[in-house]
Amino acid sequence: MIYSEFIMDYSKLKKFVGKIENATKVEEGKNLSCGDEVTLYLLLDGDRIVDAKFEGHGCAISQASTNVMIEQIIGKTKEEALELLKNAENMILGKEFDAGLLGPVVNFYDVKNYPMRVKCFLLPWKTLEMALEKK
């Protein structure tokens, strides 16, 4: 079932919605095929993500994915966040991944069976990747 209770609950979460005025990194991501949009705000202390928030709109999957991603990356180093991202992407693309590393992100596992929704899940993760890889 694609719209699990977990996904629906996380799609409504407002804890990470907002702007970080002194953000170290700001990145915009758009899913042109369905209209999902996210602006990701990261506050880094050295290589560690100490806070993250987002603004945007989209379907339940993109909103839930963004909330779960932010919940999981706060406190992690850039390297740890990129490793999490790689595993999340592998999971959704049906490749080998470390479920133990992903934690609650595995709740999106079934989304891989809905090709039109894979981009919705990946939007915040690809936006994070762009933000972290910028100098």
Side-chain angles (χ1 to χ4, degrees):
M1 183 163 114
I2 191 169
Y3 292 107
S4 67
E5 184 177 340
F6 177 88
I7 288 174
M8 294 311 295
D9 287 348
Y10 267 85
S11 72
K12 298 172 191 158
L13 191 66
K14 299 296 181 202
K15 181 178 179 181
F16 302 113
V17 174
K19 187 183 268 188
I20 298 175
E21 293 300 330
N22 59 337
T24 315
K25 307 258 185 188
V26 178
E27 191 66 44
E28 292 182 18
K30 294 181 182 183
N31 183 349
L32 299 177
S33 62
C34 70
D36 296 342
E37 294 183 8
V38 64
T39 301
L40 185 62
Y41 301 90
L42 301 175
L43 182 61
L44 282 81
D45 182 2
D47 261 10
R48 189 161 305 277
I49 301 167
V50 295
D51 198 7
K53 296 217 180 279
F54 80 100
E55 293 180 316
H57 58 85
C59 69
I61 292 169
S62 71
Q63 296 293 289
S65 180
T66 307
N67 278 308
V68 171
M69 180 194 76
I70 289 175
E71 184 177 78
Q72 295 304 301
I73 65 170
I74 292 176
K76 290 194 171 23
T77 63
K78 286 169 60 172
E79 184 178 315
E80 291 167 336
L82 288 169
E83 183 67 20
L84 180 69
L85 180 153
K86 181 179 133 197
N87 275 274
E89 186 174 33
N90 284 348
M91 176 194 74
I92 209 71
L93 296 176
K95 298 177 182 177
E96 190 175 320
F97 67 96
D98 183 346
L101 182 67
L102 288 178
V105 179
V106 298
N107 286 286
F108 293 89
Y109 181 79
D110 287 341
V111 174
K112 71 179 179 51
N113 299 319
Y114 301 87
M116 293 302 294
R117 294 291 178 217
V118 168
K119 285 184 180 180
C120 303
F121 170 81
L122 284 175
L123 175 63
W125 297 94
K126 291 305 209 176
T127 306
L128 173 66
E129 184 175 39
M130 288 186 296
L132 292 178
E133 289 182 349
K134 276 187 177 176
K135 296 290 180 197

